[in-house]
Amino acid sequence: MPELPSGTVTVLFSDIEGSTKLWEHGPTEMGAALVRHNALLREAFERSAGYVFKTMGDGFCAAFPTASNALTTAITAQLAIASEPWPEFAHIRVRMALHTGAAEMHDNDYFGPPLNRVARLLSAGHGGQILLSLATQERVRDSLLLGITLRDMGERRLKDLIRPERVYQVVAPGLPAEFPPLKTLDARARNLPIQSTSFVGRDREMEEVKTRLRSSRLVTLTGSGGTGKTRLALQVGADRIDDFADGVWFVELAPLTDARLAPQAVATVLGIKEQPGAAITDTLTRELKTKELLLLLDNCEHLIEASAQLCQVLLAACANICILITSREALRIPGEATYRVPSLATPDSKSSSGVEALTQYAAVQLFVDRALAVKTEFRVDNGNAPAVASICHHLDGIPLALELAAARVRSMSVEEVNERLHQRFHLLIGGSRTALPRQQTLRSAIDWSYDLLHEAEQALFRQISVFADGWTIDAAEQVCGTESVEMTTLLDVLTSLTDKSLVLAEERNGATRFRLLETVRQYSRDRLWERREQAHWQDRHLAYFLALADSAEPHLTGAEQQSWLDRLEIEHENFRAALAFSCAGERANARGMELADALWRFWSVRGYLSEGRRWLSQLLAAAPVGQAAAMRWRALDGAGNLARMQGDYPTASTLHQESLAIARQEGQPRGIAASLISLGLVARALADYPTARAYYEEGLAIQRDLGDQRGIAMALSNLGNVAHDQGDYKTDRALQVESLAIRRGLGDRGAIAMSLNNLGGTLACTEGDLSVARTLLEESLAIGRELGDWQGIASSLNNLAIVAASQGDSATASTLQEECMAIQRAVGDRRGIASSLGNLGNAPQRRGDYRAARARYKDSLAIQRDLGDRRRIVASLEGLVDPESILAEPSRAARILGVVDQLRVDIDCPVPPGEQPGYDKNIAAVRAAIGEDARFDRAWQEGRAMTLDQAIEYALQEHVADG
């Protein structure tokens, strides 16, 4: 295959004329004919060094380094097609078009205006015809082969609506020379305005609107300001012009302020004179009764009733006219089909995709096209691609906003434009001076919609700006239902805002969720702040989401955990907005602290550990003097738990000590017991088992005094875990059995499953009790499945995998661990996923598959790095020692061991006694593999000298052994 041409290229497009009818009349014959057609074209392309970069249905898109090669190929292919004995029901006639220009090339594909131009040129032709643009004609006219001429077809308006194109037809021996008139805009009556820019990224929308027009005589394009409704309507009209004998006519209604002038505007465009003594509407219907035309009525929203009445009259009286409307809300008359024009597809704001992937998005294509118009040397490269992605995402793919942002590239880098998007209504100004005022700035575009709203609609539009990333109808009623917008009418007002294209309504899992595009939300928020209403509505927003978090908290463990976690995930941006408001003022601080405390389990399970700590830290720092002690105690305890989960044990200990001091000062025994348990968890993580046992025993004594059986069972289980870590499985077993007995007495199925799991895990460590361990774990798993407790299910599966591995059944162990991880992935438990990945590395390591083991350990390490969990980072690094020693070089393994040694010192987490023999064996094996104590010691010290970030980066590097 030839290389993909670059720079200035000639592009050849082809397709089969009337292929749809051919398939209908002879599907069998057409199938065979298409195969032959494809072979003929590919043979012609290959002979002339043509590169086929895309096929679309029966059409080919090929690029050539020279225009002469492209022309020779087109003629050769047409001669081959003309001489082929096609079957009766599959007589193939192919049209071709050539255009030359500089196209953007990414990922073996081309983009940019030249592609749009040649596609429009092709649509003007007929089967058997070859058409050339002026750019191509100028390159081939002096090198034409004998007998070949180029017939000047004149300047023609192609259906892309931009500048006219001088079109040439190839006349060659053996090919037909006479064809029907070109299918250009000049062939039909019309007043479609010439556009100064190309039409980008709306292929799917074009087809959907044209499909609606085929089944309905009235189609209304709706959408918020700047989404490109007018441009889409014009392009649809241009593409459909051949279907209307009397043409396509564009009527701009935006300048009108008097609704009574709408019929006159239509009559003026069509050249229909008002008749004395007759209503203009009657004159219109009489003149249009026998016409076949398409009317484009643009910007009807401010004349909505007059537009509805006019359309209803015209459609009833004139059987052969169709009407395409653009409006920010539907007309709501019989027979109307609506189509909401979506924003252009955008990449994620933090997209790390390469340039090739990025330019597949329509929003990026439009931004690049418009940026090139103001700065011809503009290019998207790996350096500015993230900024381009961010601009397109944060401007919601709104065409007007993208065009205004691209215009700034004339004097600013895309990085600078991106940095100033928080001031978008000041930045995105200076559109075309000839455009309507509301199309010259982003704010003006939304002002137009806002000013058309009734007072109640304006009020609700401002209020809903306090929501972030959407809301439910219940949230809207609770937050915004007031004397100005009563709950009984709020849904109607919200529906009206949706109908007017300011609010988006989307169905998720059987429920409707509303949202504002971020650009529209910033506008409505600015309006709220202008009226100094923001604090009141933010306060109501905080109250609602605090109530939601409080309702969720009891369900964040147990049978309903996943559904509640998912619900909190959906509302995470709203929780963030509420917490930000809480940090800004004293009055809201206490409720913000309560909110953060209610969310800490959600943050821990879903992997938002660092974020949760930041919120709690900010709220505690901003807390007013004299804040309720109970509130502060709970916040400190939650912050300490998150710190512990990240391996930040000094901070966790400090926070829990402070919470314990408050509980003792306030005389709150339950608070004291809870703080002692938290401190015990920190001490156990640090392998400070005497201290951990002391905390647990003090907590147990308090629980016994309180008669709190659940607390007693929990304390006994924790004490058993300490014994387990120290290799005292007999004591651990006794304590877990006692804890299980209490829980069975309470009938607490979830707690029973937890004790069964702990006890089974303990027995799994003693080979003689593996069968009993499996029985207990299977019972625990059954209860977990019965309750739908995903966390209990995952934990049981994990321990069952350990039992299977201990019995030498690696296949079962891997299957169980994979199921465990699938559950964790389903609920977004990143800590659990990381742990499972580490466990999944153990099986291949035992069977000598070090590559698979290393991949698992590295995946686990990458997640632990993101979570900041230093204790589990240690485990992942230790897992990498053997694979690195064998697959790479022993000195890498020695450096990793040095890192582990220093990290254990830093977090005060020595090797547990039960794991010490295996740890010592690893060190001895690596030392022996290196062969020289001095080299081992040097590598070990190099590892100890690394920062944590350096160490993780080093461990994640791909490295193979020398030689």
Side-chain angles (χ1 to χ4, degrees), residues 805 835-848 853 856-857 879:
S835 179
S836 289
L837 284 167
N839 291 337
L840 281 166
N842 296 336
Q845 180 149 295
R846 278 192 295 269
R847 64 174 182 266
R856 294 292 194 179
Y857 292 135

Side-chain angles (χ1 to χ4, degrees), residues 935-952:
R935 283 184 60 200
F936 175 86
D937 292 341
R938 184 164 58 252
W940 175 284
Q941 292 302 326
E942 287 169 358
R944 286 180 60 92
M946 292 182 185
T947 66
L948 181 58
D949 288 341
Q950 289 172 338
I952 294 174

Side-chain angles (χ1 to χ4, degrees), residues 733-792:
R733 180 174 182 172
L735 291 167
Q736 299 296 354
V737 166
E738 186 179 354
S739 176
L740 175 60
I742 294 172
R743 286 169 167 169
R744 286 196 189 278
L746 292 171
D748 186 340
R749 300 280 286 162
I752 290 169
M754 189 185 303
S755 280
L756 288 167
N757 192 47
N758 286 340
L759 185 55
T762 297
L763 296 179
C765 295
T766 57
E767 265 187 54
D769 290 322
L770 288 177
S771 59
V772 177
R774 175 181 285 108
T775 300
L776 295 172
L777 292 169
E778 287 174 346
E779 183 184 353
S780 174
L781 178 61
I783 295 173
R785 294 194 191 280
E786 173 194 326
L787 297 176
D789 179 3
W790 72 266
Q791 204 166 32

Side-chain angles (χ1 to χ4, degrees), residues 537-782:
W537 299 108
Q538 286 176 312
D539 194 64
R540 291 176 65 94
H541 175 271
L542 169 60
Y544 174 82
F545 284 99
L546 172 58
L548 175 61
D550 282 341
S551 298
E553 188 178 17
H555 304 286
L556 295 184
T557 57
E560 299 178 90
Q561 184 177 42
Q562 181 171 347
S563 62
W564 277 98
L565 285 169
D566 289 344
R567 186 172 178 185
L568 296 184
E569 188 76 63
I570 290 171
E571 300 294 0
H572 202 179
E573 288 298 332
N574 277 309
F575 289 126
R576 287 167 172 150
L579 289 164
F581 171 63
S582 302
C583 291
E586 280 192 10
R587 193 166 63 87
N589 180 267
R591 284 189 298 168
M593 201 172 289
E594 186 179 349
L595 174 60
D597 178 67
L599 291 173
W600 79 262
R601 285 188 187 278
F602 161 72
W603 285 327
S604 71
V605 172
R606 288 292 168 93
Y608 300 110
L609 302 176
S610 296
E611 180 180 354
R613 291 182 66 187
R614 284 196 303 272
W615 285 122
L616 282 161
S617 177
Q618 289 178 48
L619 288 161
L620 286 164
V625 177
Q627 186 180 73
M631 187 72 65
R632 187 171 182 83
W633 170 81
R634 293 186 63 189
L636 288 164
D637 194 58
N641 284 324
L642 293 175
R644 172 178 54 80
M645 291 171 187
Q646 284 196 313
D648 186 357
Y649 302 119
T651 299
S653 181
T654 299
L655 291 166
H656 288 312
Q657 289 289 359
E658 187 177 349
S659 71
L660 177 60
I662 292 173
R664 291 193 192 281
Q665 180 180 336
E666 296 295 315
Q668 294 291 332
R670 294 186 188 278
I672 294 170
S675 293
L676 288 167
I677 288 173
S678 295
L679 284 165
L681 291 171
V682 174
R684 181 192 168 203
L686 292 169
D688 184 355
Y689 300 118
T691 301
R693 186 180 297 106
Y695 283 133
Y696 289 147
E697 287 175 345
E698 184 181 352
L700 175 61
I702 294 172
Q703 302 287 14
R704 291 193 190 282
D705 289 342
L706 293 171
D708 183 351
Q709 294 299 302
R710 283 184 173 81
I712 292 169
M714 179 62 73
L716 290 169
S717 180
N718 284 329
L719 283 166
N721 291 336
V722 170
H724 180 101
D725 288 351
Q726 292 185 295
D728 185 357
Y729 301 123
K730 182 178 179 180
T731 299
D732 178 23
R733 180 174 182 172
L735 291 167
Q736 299 296 354
V737 166
E738 186 179 354
S739 176
L740 175 60
I742 294 172
R743 286 169 167 169
R744 286 196 189 278
L746 292 171
D748 186 340
R749 300 280 286 162
I752 290 169
M754 189 185 303
S755 280
L756 288 167
N757 192 47
N758 286 340
L759 185 55
T762 297
L763 296 179
C765 295
T766 57
E767 265 187 54
D769 290 322
L770 288 177
S771 59
V772 177
R774 175 181 285 108
T775 300
L776 295 172
L777 292 169
E778 287 174 346
E779 183 184 353
S780 174
L781 178 61

